[in-house]
Amino acid sequence: MDTNIVGVGVGITERFRTVVEEKASRIETLAPRAQGLEVKVTHRAYHNGRMEDETVELTLGGKGPVVRAEATDGDKFTALDLAVDKMAEQLRRAKDKRVDARNHPRGAKFEKESGSLAGIDIEPASAELLHAVATGEVPVVQVDDEADYTPVVIRTKQFDAEWMTVEEAVDRMELVGHDFFLFVDARSDHPSVVYRRKGWDYGVISLETQAAPEARAAS
């Protein structure tokens, strides 16, 4: 497995490279089909008195879905340990799910008329949650380094839409280590999101596609 290390605002020492290679062997044991591990180390300095920190981002590529993990600490070696632990846990969870799926086939079935799912531990989001998402009850404040420190930071990312089943979306969410995953439901063609609830329990929210407001007004 090839390993590539990139430093942003920080130099990469030979000692750090050696430690990365040692950690990479642990990842390779859990993901023998992986072809490459990208390690990105970002140094951040703040202007509001907050201590500087190092963020380590790991991206594992190869045959199958991409696996990502990230951790931040004042020391890049500690951040690396935390990120490797996260990735290892994600890979173990994904393996456990594959074994469980082989031993206990669920036979998930989607009822198009009623919109219900059977044979999988997923339940629709509650009306209260949908209302909170639609109205934005939880305020989010975007700040920069010059402003007073706040734990809320907005990072924008865009990805190509992918069509997949709910079950596949849950597996992808586990691999990237997030609490939610956006996708287009292959069964209904609706933009959807799966999210983690408790343990192996998940929820799913889907948007029903409609004509744009301008088109409805013109009709």
Side-chain angles (χ1 to χ4, degrees):
M1 181 178 70
D2 296 329
T3 302
N4 183 43
I5 308 173
V6 177
V8 178
V10 60
I12 303 300
T13 64
E14 285 302 318
R15 180 186 169 214
F16 188 80
R17 292 183 183 277
T18 301
V19 174
V20 167
E21 291 296 336
E22 293 173 355
K23 302 294 182 181
S25 62
R26 176 186 173 192
I27 297 299
E28 189 172 14
T29 300
L30 295 170
R33 299 177 63 189
Q35 297 175 342
L37 177 66
E38 298 285 335
V39 181
K40 181 180 178 182
V41 185
T42 303
H43 175 81
R44 290 189 177 89
Y46 302 90
H47 304 289
N48 55 8
R50 182 183 171 190
M51 292 182 62
E52 301 178 1
D53 59 37
E54 315 276 354
T55 296
V56 174
E57 300 173 68
L58 305 179
T59 304
L60 188 65
K63 296 181 179 179
V66 173
V67 185
R68 293 188 177 90
E70 177 181 318
T72 300
D73 191 84
D75 177 73
K76 61 177 175 289
F77 290 93
T78 302
L80 174 63
D81 286 339
L82 294 172
V84 170
D85 287 344
K86 285 184 180 180
M87 179 168 283
E89 179 61 22
Q90 290 161 207
L91 292 170
R92 290 193 189 97
R93 286 173 66 92
K95 181 179 179 180
D96 289 344
K97 284 181 65 65
R98 289 194 298 269
V99 172
D100 182 68
R102 287 197 300 267
N103 295 336
H104 305 91
R106 298 172 184 260
K109 184 179 179 182
F110 176 74
E111 296 292 342
K112 209 164 189 178
E113 294 76 12
S114 63
S116 62
L117 281 170
I120 188 170
D121 294 332
I122 292 181
E123 64 181 55
S126 65
E128 292 79 7
L129 178 60
L130 290 173
H131 179 74
V133 172
T135 59
E137 291 181 0
V138 180
V140 178
V141 180
Q142 187 171 9
V143 299
D144 56 33
D145 288 345
E146 299 296 334
D148 292 337
Y149 169 69
T150 172
V152 179
V153 178
I154 297 177
R155 292 196 301 177
T156 302
K157 292 184 179 180
Q158 291 183 334
F159 300 93
D160 293 333
E162 292 188 68
W163 274 255
M164 62 183 69
T165 65
V166 173
E167 299 91 327
E168 290 170 338
V170 170
D171 290 339
R172 292 286 292 276
M173 179 180 69
E174 292 289 352
L175 287 175
V176 297
H178 291 171
D179 292 326
F180 66 91
F181 187 83
L182 296 167
F183 68 106
V184 180
D185 194 326
R187 296 187 177 101
S188 64
D189 286 333
H190 290 168
S192 306
V193 57
V194 291
Y195 62 95
R196 190 188 314 281
R197 298 181 78 242
K198 294 181 179 179
W200 295 104
D201 197 12
Y202 306 93
V204 58
I205 300 174
S206 296
L207 298 178
E208 293 187 2
T209 54
Q210 299 179 354
E214 296 80 2
R216 292 201 302 270
S219 61

